């Protein structure tokens, strides 16, 4: 008998060896079959035998309510999240926790270093009661009795001394304020970046506060302007600002106030100064409005048909020093700034009036009219109006004259290029804009500013250059001209000397300047007692940081002598042009101009909306 096979089939399998009854009962035959190595199982039997020992695993799940995940899927999800944390988040956390290593700031270029110094010159030229923050240790309060012979309550205290003497001339002082204001309006971001914005605004306000004293700024119509305080007559032995050599703090001689009752040139320049400054101070609404009102009053004085005679004519204390050769350039200049300050189209209509252009003789295209100075604002006025055409393009009825100004401005820029030899150049590379006359650097600085600014205008509107006749020049040609001239002033010249005091290793030490030459020894030095300081071969007792001197002669030669003012005397107007050129060229903080601020008062251009219809009234029958 065979044991019952519960899976079907028989255990009757042949083996090569007999198993005893006892062993057969003890061991399961199927197990014996597996253990015997000399027996061979067919595939069906192998699968049957092997599958007996396997148990089917149950898949486990995690129920989150809205979704069910298997354990395996959940492990993959959490594993992926952990891996992402290690690859992405962990490095970020580590990098944030590490100490920061900020990159070194870009070192300031020479133009930035020079502008810090050039602005200090104006602090040294201040008249009046000085603020404690003025920063010039050898300067103190002075000119506190100025204007006592005027009808101005409190006198004419304040303002700036013009040069190495102690005279306050409104004409070059106003031009100085206009130039500083213009540079701030164009390059505000740069001034902020080099930490000179507030300082420069304070210098501008020191000037505008004084100019507001020199006429009745509360009136709408005036017939008098105080044009000057102090001065002297060449060759005179009467104690005055020229005969005496005294620190401003020691002045004891009479300082007369000069009044003028005509002078469209002076009034036009003063209007330009106040109008341009009003845009600089538009964040101070009340003060800005005061400046605009004063500018309009002055310009009305300038346009008065009965007062059209140069302010300097017949004035012995003015004519030899700051003689004006015309006033139509101030008409164009002042009207342009008043248009920008007020948006009043009356001013732009005047500035683009063909008769103004004709009377200014700009159409002659003579080299002298392309040289910007305290006397000739024509090239600057045309550049300022060219800005309007380039950025706002007002069109009719201004387009014809604006295009004319643009063309003349382009030709002015061509005249600055060595390629055309319109002006002579020294062998050392300095353009002779004043035809070989002394004190050339002030004209050079002004031209460098204009060239650099015009290049920046073209850069903003995406124009790569301009034409001189049939020859195209890239923007870089103007920048190259501007940098070459300012670099010459800063020391790249045959004398290897910087003409800005305090900049570089070699600069003038015998500056023609009363306050700088006499020691601040708390002793009073009389009118003639100061002559020993004028005549000594020793260097100045005080260093007048930032002063740009008159400059070399046409042969690149410079004599550092106090007696020869043509070489060593600095001026307000000269330093204003220098500051403007420097801020336009500095690249420490990047480039570019402020395109819009100067236009902030101009209303939207284009066709005006028609007037509203009159109110309805019933028709009488």
């Amino acid at each position: 008998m065979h044991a019952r096979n519960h899976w079907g089939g028989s255990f009757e399998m042949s083996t090569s060896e007999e198993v005893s009854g006892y062993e057969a009962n003890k061991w399961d035959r199927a197990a014996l079959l597996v253990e015997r190595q000399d027996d061979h199982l067919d595939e069906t039997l192998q699968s049957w035998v092997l599958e007996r020992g396997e148990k089917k695993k149950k898949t486990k799940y995690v129920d989150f309510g809205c979704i069910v995940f298997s354990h395996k899927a959940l492990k993959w999800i959490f594993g992926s999240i952990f891996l992402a944390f290690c690859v992405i988040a962990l490095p970020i956390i580590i990098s944030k926790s590490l100490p920061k290593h900020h990159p070194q700031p870009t070192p300031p270029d020479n133009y930035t270093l020079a502008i810090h110094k050039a602005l200090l010159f104006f602090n040294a030229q201040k008249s009046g009661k000085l603020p404690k923050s003025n920063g010039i240790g050898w300067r103190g309060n002075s000119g506190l009795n100025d204007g006592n012979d005027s009808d101005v309550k409190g006198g004419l205290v304040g303002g700036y001394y013009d040069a190495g003497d102690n005279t306050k001339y409104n004409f070059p002082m106003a031009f100085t304020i206009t130039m500083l204001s213009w540079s701030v309006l164009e390059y505000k971001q740069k001034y902020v970046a080099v930490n000179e914005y507030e300082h420069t605004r304070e210098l501008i306000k020191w000037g505008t506060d004084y100019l507001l004293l020199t006429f009745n700024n509360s009136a709408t119509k005036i017939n008098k302007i105080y044009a000057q305080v102090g001065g002297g007559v060449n060759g005179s032995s009467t104690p005055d600002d020229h005969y005496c050599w005294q620190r401003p703090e020691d002045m004891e001689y009479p300082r007369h106030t000069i009044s003028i009752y005509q002078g469209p040139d002076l009034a036009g320049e003063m209007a330009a100064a106040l109008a341009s400054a009003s845009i600089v101070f538009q964040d101070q609404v009340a003060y800005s409005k005061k400046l605009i009102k004063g500018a309009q009053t002055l310009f009305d004085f300038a346009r008065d048909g009965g007062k059209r005679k140069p302010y300097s004519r017949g004035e012995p204390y003015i004519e030899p020093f700051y003689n004006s050769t015309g006033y139509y350039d101030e008409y164009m200049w002042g009207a342009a700034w008043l248009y920008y300050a007020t948006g009043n189209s009356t001013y732009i209509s005047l500035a683009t009036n063909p008769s103004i252009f004709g009377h200014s003789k700009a159409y002659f295209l003579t080299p002298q009219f392309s040289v910007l100075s305290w006397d000739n604002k024509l090239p600057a006025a045309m550049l300022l109006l060219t800005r309007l055409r380039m950025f706002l393009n007002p069109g009719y009825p201004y387009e014809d004259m604006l295009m004319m100004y643009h063309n003349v401005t382009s030709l002015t820029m061509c005249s600055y290029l060595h390629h055309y030899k319109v002006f002579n150049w020294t062998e050392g590379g300095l353009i002779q804009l004043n035809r070989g006359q002394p004190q050339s650097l002030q004209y050079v600085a002004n031209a460098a500013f204009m060239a650099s600014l015009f290049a920046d205008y073209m850069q903003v509107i995406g124009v790569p250059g301009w034409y001189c006749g049939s020859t195209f020049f890239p923007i870089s040609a103007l920048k190259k001209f501007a940098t070459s001239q300012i670099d010459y002033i800063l020391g790249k010249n045959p004398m290897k000397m910087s003409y800005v005091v305090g900049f570089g290793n070699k600069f003038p030490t015998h500056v023609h300047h009363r306050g700088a030459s006499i020691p601040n020894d708390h002793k009073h030095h009389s009118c003639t007692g100061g002559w020993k300081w004028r005549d000594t071969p020793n260097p100045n007792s005080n260093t007048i940081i930032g002063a740009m001197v008159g400059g070399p002669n046409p042969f690149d030669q410079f004599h550092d002598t106090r007696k020869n003012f043509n070489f060593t005397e600095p001026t307000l107007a000269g330093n204003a042009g220098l500051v403007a050129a420097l801020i336009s060229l500095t690249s420490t903080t990047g480039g570019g101009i402020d395109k819009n601020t100067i236009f902030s008062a101009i209303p939207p251009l284009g066709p005006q909306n028609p007037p509203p219809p009159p109110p309805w009234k019933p028709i009488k029958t």
Side-chain angles (χ1 to χ4, degrees), residues 32-83:
L32 290 174
L33 287 173
V34 174
E35 290 180 358
R36 295 186 60 159
Q37 298 180 358
D38 54 344
D39 291 334
H40 301 284
L41 302 175
D42 59 27
E43 291 182 3
T44 302
L45 191 57
Q46 278 193 55
S47 65
W48 169 69
V49 171
L50 294 176
E51 284 178 5
R52 288 183 62 206
E54 293 181 358
K55 290 183 180 178
K56 190 172 181 181
K57 294 182 179 179
K58 273 190 175 183
T59 303
K60 296 182 179 180
Y61 295 92
V62 177
D63 188 349
F64 288 102
C66 59
I67 190 169
V68 178
F69 287 104
S70 69
H71 273 199
K72 186 175 182 182
L74 208 58
K75 288 178 181 178
W76 272 103
I77 291 171
F78 283 115
S80 300
I81 293 172
F82 179 75
L83 184 62

Side-chain angles (χ1 to χ4, degrees), residues 485-520:
Q485 298 308 292
I486 298 301
D487 287 348
Y488 184 105
I489 292 172
L490 296 182
K492 290 185 179 180
N493 54 63
M495 296 293 294
K496 307 297 182 187
M497 170 181 280
S498 165
Y499 294 117
V500 177
V501 176
F503 182 85
N505 297 322
K506 182 183 178 184
F507 48 81
T509 57
H510 298 73
V511 180
H512 182 93
H513 192 277
R514 286 159 176 76
S517 65
I518 300 174
N520 181 26

